[in-house]
Amino acid sequence: MKSKILEILEKNRNYVSGEEISKDIGISRAAVWKHIKKLRELGYEIDSKTNEGYKLIKSPEKQIEFELERMLDTNIIGKKILFFEEVDSTNNKAKQIALDEKEGAVVISEIQTSGRGRRGREWQSPKGGIYVSFILKPNISPQRAPQLTLVSSLALVETLNAIDGNLNAKIKWPNDVLIKGKKISGILTELSADMEKINYIVVGVGVNINTDINSLPETATSLKLEMREEISVKLFLKSFLEHYDSVYQEYLDGGINQIIQRWKDNSDTLGKNVKIMGINETYEGLAKDIDENGALILLIDNKEIKVYSGDVSLR
Ligand code: BTN
């Protein structure tokens, strides 16, 4: 009921009478008033004028959870959203609750105090960015879990390019998303499984949205910087979660092949001469292809070598 009233107030930029609202949704005017009171308690700023009715002045970002769930057009992703102003790490939070939550639950935070990156690194997570972790429970073998990183980077790159076709966002292997060569997002995938069965996968995605560029490394950029305007985090999340939902559904229905094809179409790495710093070794060669689990196939002295993780730089 609250959402129906909100919908009406959002649609009308001016005052709407209590009578109109009560007729529209078939409740008494007293009930409308009760719901308005509830919305105000939730942080909505709603003005009321005698003889004119109610007008929505401002929706608090805190209500993003409630609003997002209502705005989303998805089948699996975001049916439950947990939104925080601050957490240590959304991946930590998601892992704490993953066994009890249904697949598709999403943990989102505006700040992380101990954001984690790949290979044990810290992930700077100031306000302005958005930090999102997806809880997934696909019925696949644990060996295929890295495929979810491909699904995730593809969903993000397609979101960014749908927001603005001129952004020309690209994926840098294994899973960074770049705009004009600068990093706008990183992905950290974590798995809980036994030998045969996945308990859950948590995919964490950090995106620099309106992040102050001074709080980011030289090699990073933000959506605000690239688009030269402040971006609505709520609208970004709506688009991202909906793209994620459809790419994930495609993966569940049709497997990894079509995802890989689109991943390759958006790759910034394939076809280039690269240097890869692995955990113990460094490789230099031509980035020829990726395999079905996302391992990079490098051509070194006419021999193909598979690299499973590492940091890529151009030669
Ligand atoms: C990387 O590029 O090293 C991966 C960075 C992943 C950061 C995200 S932010 C949301 C989620 N929570 C974390 O602590 N890390 C991931």
Side-chain angles (χ1 to χ4, degrees):
M1 196 59 68
K2 280 199 304 278
S3 353
K4 279 196 185 148
I5 294 180
L6 254 188
E7 245 167 58
I8 296 173
L9 292 179
E10 275 168 355
K11 256 197 274 158
N12 293 278
R13 286 164 175 238
N14 231 316
Y15 288 87
V16 194
S17 72
E19 194 179 358
E20 218 177 308
I21 300 175
S22 81
K23 271 199 197 136
D24 234 27
I25 50 183
I27 57 172
S28 69
R29 284 177 65 175
V32 172
W33 167 238
K34 249 175 61 193
H35 287 300
I36 295 274
K37 250 174 65 184
K38 191 89 210 145
L39 283 167
R40 283 181 176 152
E41 275 162 29
L42 287 169
Y44 286 87
E45 205 180 308
I46 298 169
D47 193 21
S48 59
K49 266 191 189 161
T50 332
N51 299 331
E52 288 203 63
Y54 305 104
K55 179 179 168 175
L56 179 64
I57 309 287
K58 213 159 93 198
S59 316
E61 279 296 88
K62 245 209 238 158
Q63 281 318 113
I64 203 162
E65 198 173 281
F66 168 64
E67 288 186 35
L68 250 182
E69 280 175 6
R70 189 170 59 93
M71 281 159 70
L72 277 185
D73 182 12
T74 57
N75 292 319
I76 304 173
I77 302 296
K79 290 287 162 207
K80 172 140 181 211
I81 292 175
L82 292 119
F83 194 93
F84 298 90
E85 285 172 8
E86 185 176 305
V87 289
D88 56 347
S89 148
T90 53
N91 267 32
N92 292 355
K93 194 95 202 159
K95 289 199 292 185
Q96 282 158 18
I97 59 170
L99 287 176
D100 299 324
E101 289 296 339
K102 282 208 187 116
E103 124 146 320
V106 183
V107 179
I108 304 175
S109 185
E110 290 180 306
I111 295 175
Q112 294 185 122
T113 51
S114 308
R116 294 187 289 109
R118 288 194 307 120
R119 308 175 81 181
R121 295 185 192 119
E122 184 192 352
W123 177 261
Q124 297 281 349
S125 313
K127 200 169 164 73
I130 199 75
Y131 312 101
V132 185
S133 295
F134 298 91
I135 296 172
L136 305 174
K137 302 184 176 177
N139 189 11
I140 55 172
S141 68
Q143 288 71 27
R144 286 179 57 196
Q147 294 178 340
L148 273 312
T149 306
L150 302 176
V151 166
S152 308
S153 48
L154 180 65
L156 182 61
V157 93
E158 291 188 343
T159 303
L160 292 168
N161 290 330
I163 290 175
D164 183 344
N166 295 322
L167 287 175
N168 200 17
K170 297 268 180 203
I171 308 167
K172 178 180 166 189
W173 184 86
N175 47 29
D176 291 349
V177 175
L178 311 180
I179 294 180
K180 293 199 205 103
K182 293 198 165 189
K183 182 159 167 170
I184 190 159
S185 166
I187 298 175
L188 177 68
T189 304
E190 299 186 275
L191 168 70
S192 159
D194 56 33
M195 292 296 277
E196 272 119 52
K197 199 182 148 291
I198 288 178
N199 301 319
Y200 60 81
I201 298 173
V202 166
V203 182
V205 186
V207 192
N208 305 326
I209 307 273
N210 297 314
T211 323
D212 175 8
I213 199 64
N214 296 318
S215 58
L216 292 173
E218 267 275 287
T219 48
T221 189
S222 72
L223 199 52
K224 178 179 169 185
L225 197 75
E226 297 301 329
M227 294 189 59
R228 292 164 206 274
E229 61 179 338
E230 188 96 1
I231 308 300
S232 155
V233 172
K234 204 162 53 187
L235 291 183
F236 170 81
L237 285 171
K238 172 174 162 61
S239 177
F240 182 33
L241 268 52
E242 287 178 356
H243 274 89
Y244 202 106
D245 188 68
S246 87
V247 178
Y248 184 55
Q249 187 74 66
E250 244 182 277
Y251 168 73
L252 294 180
D253 294 344
I256 195 65
N257 288 346
Q258 60 216 3
I259 307 292
I260 290 211
Q261 192 45 56
R262 297 221 302 281
W263 190 99
K264 287 181 190 174
D265 294 342
N266 286 288
S267 162
D268 186 56
T269 308
L270 298 185
K272 290 186 177 163
N273 282 310
V274 294
K275 180 172 173 180
I276 299 181
M277 312 270 282
I279 295 170
N280 298 313
E281 275 162 302
T282 300
Y283 307 90
E284 290 193 33
L286 176 73
K288 192 178 163 208
D289 206 349
I290 54 165
D291 77 1
E292 72 284 358
N293 286 323
L296 188 67
I297 302 171
L298 266 189
L299 199 61
I300 306 177
D301 300 331
N302 280 328
K303 262 204 233 129
E304 287 188 358
I305 292 193
K306 271 192 192 178
V307 185
Y308 294 89
S309 77
D311 291 322
V312 175
S313 56
L314 295 181
R315 277 206 314 188

